[in-house]
Amino acid sequence: MSQYREIPYTDELLSDRSVHRRFADGREEWRRRAGDHYVQWQDNTGRSGIDEVLGDRIIKRRYTTGQVVYGRDQGYGRTAWGDGTLTVNRTSFGGRTGAILAAVGAGALLGAIVAPPLMMSEFEEEELRRQAQQQQQNSGSDGSDGDGGDGGDDGGSWSDDNDSGGSDDDFG
């Protein structure tokens, strides 16, 4: 049995290119990109902050209060958070993949959840940023399509159309 409390959500792309996220627990978020590795958000409970993709599938959520929670992208729209929640993007479970996952039970097919770090030093965060930037530079300079090691960055698109089981590019 998982130690995480699963909270499904769906995303709706709005005409201004922001995203309205609706969680099954009644919470709602409005999200907007703020650069290649950042998403600003605010929710209907008065909380707000910035999500940052650090690299190696680690997401840093910094609340405006100063609190920090780390998440780890599990693939297939799932993000495990240090506060014990597992957010699951139901928007991306369409088509054949969604039918298969629903039929056999997503947990059994997707495997074990890899826990996010509970704490990180500034040095550790900076090292992840450096590694992600180095991977991004390497993937672009060798003539490849840049699909590997992008740590969840999709170059500005909110679409999950190219998701092949890796990051959902939504920063958690």
Side-chain angles (χ1 to χ4, degrees):
M1 184 166 176
S2 175
Q3 65 187 19
Y4 291 92
R5 182 173 60 102
E6 185 174 310
I7 304 173
Y9 68 88
T10 58
D11 282 341
E12 175 187 3
L13 181 62
L14 303 176
S15 62
D16 66 355
R17 303 285 301 149
S18 65
V19 170
H20 182 203
R21 179 167 289 176
R22 290 179 178 93
F23 292 89
D25 65 1
R27 209 165 27 95
E28 297 180 49
E29 281 183 359
W30 290 266
R31 304 171 62 79
R32 177 179 307 281
R33 283 207 184 259
D36 287 343
H37 302 282
Y38 300 93
V39 170
Q40 292 177 318
W41 60 270
Q42 63 183 29
D43 70 16
N44 62 336
T45 67
R47 297 183 306 173
S48 62
I50 295 178
D51 291 350
E52 176 187 4
V53 174
L54 295 174
D56 197 25
R57 303 178 82 99
I58 303 295
I59 301 155
K60 178 181 181 179
R61 172 163 273 206
R62 187 178 324 119
Y63 293 87
T64 54
T65 62
Q67 177 188 5
V68 171
V69 177
Y70 295 97
R72 183 181 302 271
D73 178 356
Q74 306 291 312
Y76 292 100
R78 303 176 315 148
T79 303
W81 293 95
D83 64 1
T85 59
L86 176 71
T87 55
V88 180
N89 186 346
R90 295 295 181 206
T91 309
S92 64
F93 283 153
R96 201 173 358 190
T97 302
I100 292 169
L101 291 175
V104 300
L109 188 60
L110 298 175
I113 295 171
V114 180
L118 296 177
M119 295 174 42
M120 294 183 77
S121 69
E122 282 294 321
F123 176 79
E124 291 169 318
E125 289 181 11
E126 194 54 43
E127 184 62 20
L128 284 175
R129 290 181 191 107
R130 187 192 64 74
Q131 289 173 6
Q133 179 152 2
Q134 185 175 353
Q135 283 181 329
Q136 190 174 23
Q137 288 172 348
N138 289 344
S139 68
S141 65
D142 64 1
S144 71
D145 63 5
D147 195 32
D150 66 354
D153 178 33
D154 64 0
S157 170
W158 285 97
S159 171
D160 289 330
D161 294 340
N162 296 322
D163 185 29
S164 58
S167 171
D168 260 58
D169 305 310
D170 61 0
F171 301 13

